[in-house]
Amino acid sequence: MDSHRHLVKGRLCATGMEGALADHVRAESFHRVTPLLESWALSQVAGIPVFLKYENVQPAGSFKIRGIGHFCQQMAMKGCRHLVCSSGGNAGIAAAYSARKLGIPVTIVLPENTSTQVVRRLEGEGAEVQLAGKVWDEANIKAQELATRDGWVNVSPFDHPLIWEGHASLVRELKESLGSPPGAVVLAVGGGGLLAGVTAGLLEVGWQHVPIVAMETRGAHSFNAALQAGRLVTLPDITSVARSLGAKRVAARTLECAKECEILSEVVEDREAVKAVQRFLDDERILVEPACGAALAAIYSGILGRLQAEGRLGPALASIVVIVCGGNNISSQQLQELKTQLGCS
Ligand code: PLV
């Protein structure tokens, strides 16, 4: 894996710093325990209790801080001198937030079409921002180049065991709040870090029988394409507006997850994801980005009901958990523009 290679190149061996930093770094995680609340509106639509895991209230605006915060803390303990992270936005904000807390300089590489709002947020965190390429995969090539510098460490937005370990904390919180397992967990898939983390968490708490409904938008459906082909597939381009789901190829680990847990992969159109964002705003008065709309569309577009009718999900589910992954790539104006672009009234 690339991040391991860079660690070797960066010669991040144990130093005297390790002990001193370790106490500070281990003191507290950067993520917060988030609320799990039953949604009246979504439960009405689904016909069963729907619980929302509100990751949008994390300090960096999305679940990403769980895994990336954990990864960055571990790298700091190993004496990392500079962090570099390629991102569709949210992983970068999580890395920049973590780097500021750790006092380590950070460079975030984003696709050229990144909104000024996200760039400003990153600069506000003290990050150096570089724009490279049309999609995340191209920005990632640039980040990999930078990460070969001495003492620099590459932070993958989704592809590292420490990231999955950090994301798994979300499932421990679910177990704590719910006690008994839900009928399914619904989440969005970009490169598959959240999927891998939730799989790890389900295994850890003994909930491996809980099906995961893995949502993507068409044009960013690299996991669905891989599952169908039975091997990793590189999409020719990212054409979805859900830029945060825009990894042309998912992490190899995602295919292993599909062997360890029951994963139901579903693809929605951009219009459905954006309509879900609008409906969620009206129902819960919370604005999330289209990446998160993809997960919410599992309820709003009746996908759960269809999976039940097809016998792929049980007929009488106790409850459903939807991970409200959040996201910073949205504003009321951007939502309006997306609706106009996609012809949603
Ligand atoms: N976004 C990554 C990858 O982008 C990033 O750099 O921010 N929901 C939101 C709001 C996200 O930001 C992401 C990932 C996902 C879902 C999907 O998570 P993943 O990549 O772990 O499957 C290209």
Side-chain angles (χ1 to χ4, degrees), residues 211 262-266 306-314:
E262 193 187 336
I263 302 181
L264 304 169
S265 163
E266 291 290 326
R306 175 169 58 71
L307 290 172
Q308 286 183 294
E310 290 171 358
R312 295 166 72 204
L313 279 178

Side-chain angles (χ1 to χ4, degrees), residues 63-64 87-91 136 157-158 188-194 243-247 289 291 325-327:
F63 72 94
K64 290 272 172 186
S87 175
N90 297 312
W136 169 79
F158 53 79
V189 177
L194 181 58
R243 292 280 152 182
S244 301
L245 302 185
E289 62 172 78
C325 43

Side-chain angles (χ1 to χ4, degrees), residues 27-261:
E28 201 190 337
S29 322
F30 294 149
H31 70 265
R32 295 286 165 261
V33 173
T34 53
L36 179 77
L37 301 175
E38 187 173 347
S39 162
W40 182 83
L42 275 90
S43 300
Q44 292 289 309
V45 177
I48 37 173
V50 175
F51 288 89
L52 301 174
K53 184 67 172 155
Y54 279 108
E55 289 300 294
N56 57 310
V57 300
Q58 288 288 359
S62 77
F63 72 94
K64 290 272 172 186
I65 189 66
R66 291 181 184 269
I68 287 180
H70 180 54
F71 178 91
C72 294
Q73 284 180 311
Q74 296 293 315
M75 294 307 118
M77 277 195 274
K78 293 198 160 108
C80 153
R81 292 205 303 274
H82 196 119
L83 291 160
V84 54
C85 178
S86 61
S87 175
N90 297 312
I93 295 179
Y97 177 88
S98 306
R100 174 169 62 76
K101 291 263 178 194
L102 292 162
I104 298 174
V106 63
T107 301
I108 309 296
V109 191
L110 305 148
E112 282 150 7
N113 61 2
T114 303
S115 71
T116 47
Q117 180 188 333
V118 167
V119 172
R120 258 192 243 122
R121 168 74 198 262
L122 285 164
E123 287 171 348
E125 292 285 1
E128 182 207 359
V129 177
Q130 293 195 20
L131 300 180
K134 284 199 203 67
V135 293
W136 169 79
D137 298 78
E138 290 168 22
N140 189 40
I141 294 170
K142 176 75 188 168
Q144 308 268 341
E145 274 167 35
L146 292 171
T148 59
R149 294 181 184 174
D150 197 28
W152 287 45
V153 170
N154 180 46
V155 186
S156 165
F158 53 79
D159 196 3
H160 194 283
L162 287 172
I163 293 190
W164 312 328
E165 194 175 285
H167 290 340
S169 58
L170 191 155
V171 182
R172 289 195 288 276
E173 289 173 26
L174 288 182
K175 175 136 199 200
E176 185 83 1
S177 316
L178 283 176
S180 55
V185 175
V186 180
L187 50 76
V189 177
L194 181 58
L195 176 70
V198 167
T199 301
L202 291 176
L203 292 169
E204 188 192 315
V205 306
W207 282 4
Q208 58 279 2
H209 58 284
V210 173
I212 300 173
V213 181
M215 300 297 300
E216 296 177 289
T217 48
R218 194 169 310 288
H221 58 287
S222 42
F223 179 58
N224 188 268
L227 274 186
Q228 291 204 354
R231 58 175 169 79
L232 293 177
V233 169
T234 304
L235 298 179
D237 195 7
I238 296 300
T239 53
S240 170
V241 299
R243 292 280 152 182
S244 301
L245 302 185
K248 287 188 194 172
R249 191 182 174 95
V250 282
R253 171 80 190 119
T254 55
L255 286 180
E256 292 166 20
C257 291
K259 292 185 192 132
E260 294 167 17
C261 276

